[in-house]
Amino acid sequence: MDKKPEKVDYFDLPCPIPFEEIQREALMSLKPELFEGLRFDFTKGLNQKFSLSHSVFMGSTELPSQSSETVKVPTSHYEFGANFLDPKLMLIGRMMTDGRMSARVKCDLTDNLTMKINAQLTNEPHYSQGMFNFDYKGHDYRTQFQIGNNAFYGANYIQSVTPNLSLGTEVFWLGHQRKSGIGYAARYNTEKMVATGQVASTGIVALTYVQKVSEKVSLASDFMYNHMTRDATASFGYDYILRQCRLRGKIDSNGCIAAFLEERLNMGVNFILSAEVDHRKKDYKFGFGLVVGE
């Protein structure tokens, strides 16, 4: 006997995810935090809300070059961080030996209104950045307003139209450059798959698709087209979660292959391996690291 479809109550739709996170499942598989060299991260909790972090990195930095080959120079830095985590307030600060400083603030002003602040200070002129976000969560919609340096203003809105489909739009204005833009997005998700599409007046078209094969295996793909430069790229990736490790990898239409492995050695101790091979640019990146603490 055929199962009757459930009646949809369009006055009681679920709240969609934030507009800026509609591709999060695909980015999790296709954009792991790749690095080159040695990395060591240590986090020590002082109490239930406050913790300190230390990070050491030794690797190389790519320099701009007019030739097709990649030019790299050795580099290293130490980063000190302080974190305060509370159900209604999050404060994160970072300071690096090269003079860069960053801060993140997330504060729940009400049950539905959240304020976020992101700031980064550098020694180089015109490279410091600051951004204020105000996020409002409705019953079946979300909206966000952004204010940033260089006279940047932006806003987005996303609305659930069915239990599985949500539609959204965004606008921005960059005052110093006298540039503006508008974009549209759609997201369709079920228990087994997530599909998204975005198009913007800047000429960008982005599509993603994630298929959940099982509780531990996910496959992802994306396609991006830039109408201004006529560039098109596509990639395919996977996300495999084992009992003690997590393996993510991808290959794209430019011939670039990448893999990222996180292995849990003990409670609070993770070993990480990163590899990226770009045969066309003759660029090979390999890294390993250790993450200790929560």
Side-chain angles (χ1 to χ4, degrees):
M1 186 176 179
D2 295 338
K3 185 179 179 180
K4 293 183 179 179
E6 297 182 1
K7 187 177 180 180
V8 178
D9 184 0
Y10 289 97
F11 292 98
D12 190 24
L13 295 174
C15 185
I17 68 172
F19 185 93
E20 57 191 7
E21 298 181 15
I22 63 172
Q23 297 182 350
R24 64 184 182 188
E25 291 85 359
L27 295 179
M28 188 67 67
S29 300
L30 300 173
K31 305 289 184 182
E33 193 177 347
L34 301 172
F35 64 96
E36 181 181 16
L38 169 66
R39 196 179 105 190
F40 177 74
D41 300 326
F42 176 74
T43 302
K44 174 65 175 178
L46 302 182
N47 53 45
Q48 293 182 346
K49 297 182 179 181
F50 189 70
S51 64
L52 298 177
S53 64
H54 308 269
S55 179
V56 177
F57 173 77
M58 292 183 289
S60 59
T61 301
E62 296 183 7
L63 295 180
S65 175
Q66 295 181 353
S67 63
S68 59
E69 295 187 1
T70 303
V71 179
K72 301 181 181 180
V73 295
T75 184
S76 63
H77 65 252
Y78 164 76
E79 180 184 274
F80 172 77
N83 314 293
F84 179 83
L85 303 178
D86 185 76
K88 291 186 176 296
L89 178 65
M90 180 183 73
L91 304 173
I92 297 177
R94 295 289 185 268
M95 180 182 296
M96 300 177 64
T97 52
D98 60 4
R100 285 182 294 169
M101 299 176 61
S102 64
R104 292 172 54 198
V105 178
K106 180 181 178 182
C107 179
D108 293 337
L109 303 178
T110 67
D111 292 340
N112 295 329
L113 181 62
T114 301
M115 179 185 66
K116 298 177 184 177
I117 304 174
N118 292 282
Q120 183 173 353
L121 301 177
T122 67
N123 294 326
E124 301 178 22
H126 310 297
Y127 277 86
S128 296
Q129 297 179 352
M131 182 74 71
F132 288 81
N133 294 347
F134 295 92
D135 301 349
Y136 184 81
K137 177 183 177 182
H139 180 70
D140 57 0
Y141 68 92
R142 289 178 186 263
T143 186
Q144 181 186 73
F145 181 69
Q146 301 171 311
I147 306 174
N149 61 327
N150 296 324
F152 174 84
Y153 301 94
N156 60 62
Y157 178 87
I158 186 168
Q159 170 77 55
S160 293
V161 293
T162 73
N164 302 108
L165 177 64
S166 55
L167 302 176
T169 184
E170 65 174 343
V171 295
F172 74 87
W173 166 253
L174 193 55
H176 282 193
Q177 299 182 12
R178 299 293 179 180
K179 290 183 179 180
S180 63
I182 185 171
Y184 304 93
R187 173 186 166 97
Y188 184 85
N189 65 283
T190 66
E191 295 180 356
K192 291 293 186 180
M193 57 80 68
V194 178
T196 70
Q198 288 183 274
V199 60
S201 59
T202 54
I204 300 296
V205 178
L207 306 173
T208 69
Y209 179 81
V210 178
Q211 179 70 45
K212 191 173 183 180
V213 181
S214 65
E215 290 293 329
K216 298 182 178 181
V217 181
S218 297
L219 301 178
S221 62
D222 73 344
F223 172 81
M224 182 170 290
Y225 174 70
N226 189 328
H227 180 72
M228 301 299 180
T229 61
R230 297 294 194 271
D231 289 335
T233 57
S235 60
F236 172 81
Y238 59 88
D239 190 346
Y240 191 17
I241 301 176
L242 299 171
R243 189 169 63 92
Q244 295 286 346
C245 74
R246 181 177 186 178
L247 178 63
R248 287 174 282 175
K250 72 161 188 175
I251 181 172
D252 64 25
S253 56
N254 294 322
C256 183
I257 304 172
F260 190 80
L261 173 68
E262 300 171 275
E263 175 80 21
R264 189 177 70 177
L265 303 179
N266 205 337
M267 184 66 68
V269 180
N270 293 334
F271 177 69
I272 52 179
L273 285 174
S274 173
E276 185 177 15
V277 178
D278 191 336
H279 291 289
R280 191 168 71 172
K281 294 183 179 180
K282 297 181 180 180
D283 185 16
Y284 312 102
K285 300 177 182 179
F286 299 95
F288 65 95
L290 198 65
V291 180
V292 180
E294 299 180 0

